[in-house]
């Protein structure tokens, strides 16, 4: 079994797509006005309207109500984490934690997407 994608349900597909396009530097593929995908070399982030939830039965999915998942985006170097901070702090993201060196060996920037989901932009401190 392979993990095919991570999907975020939102009331504002356009806003979320714009946010994640800026974070990743990728263009989203819009398969439908209610659904988009950003395909990275290591996985796909899908963004779906809450209007699609009814097709999933009684799943209990709600937008902007995540309290347990963080999306991790690896960048090429610790300097790239700092560059992302400079770019994203100019109105694109709510900064949760400024870039910091973590005890497990990563430099991390924690931000929130428009729905409040936690996003970690990180790079290992040591090559490898």
């Amino acid at each position: 079994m392979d993990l095919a994608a991570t999907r975020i349900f939102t009331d504002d597909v356009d806003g979320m797509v714009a946010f994640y396009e800026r974070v990743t530097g990728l263009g989203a593929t819009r398969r439908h006005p209610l659904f988009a995908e950003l395909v990275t070399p290591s996985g796909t982030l899908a963004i779906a309207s809450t209007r699609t939830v009814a097709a999933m039965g009684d799943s209990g999915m709600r937008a902007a109500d995540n309290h347990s998942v963080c999306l991790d985006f690896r960048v090429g170097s610790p300097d790239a984490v700092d560059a992302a901070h400079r770019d994203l702090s100019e109105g694109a993201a709510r900064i949760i934690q400024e870039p910091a060196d973590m005890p497990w060996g990563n430099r991390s920037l924690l931000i929130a997407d428009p729905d409040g989901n936690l996003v970690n932009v990180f790079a290992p401190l040591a090559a490898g």
Side-chain angles (χ1 to χ4, degrees), residues 28-46:
T29 301
R30 297 297 294 259
R31 304 205 177 277
H32 186 276
L34 302 178
F35 186 83
E37 291 180 324
L38 289 105
V39 179
T40 76
S42 60
T44 298
L45 177 62

Side-chain angles (χ1 to χ4, degrees), residues 8-13 33-36 47-54:
I8 298 174
F9 290 93
T10 183
D11 292 333
D12 181 10
V13 173
L34 302 178
F35 186 83
I47 300 170
S49 170
T50 50
R51 292 173 33 202
T52 67
V53 171

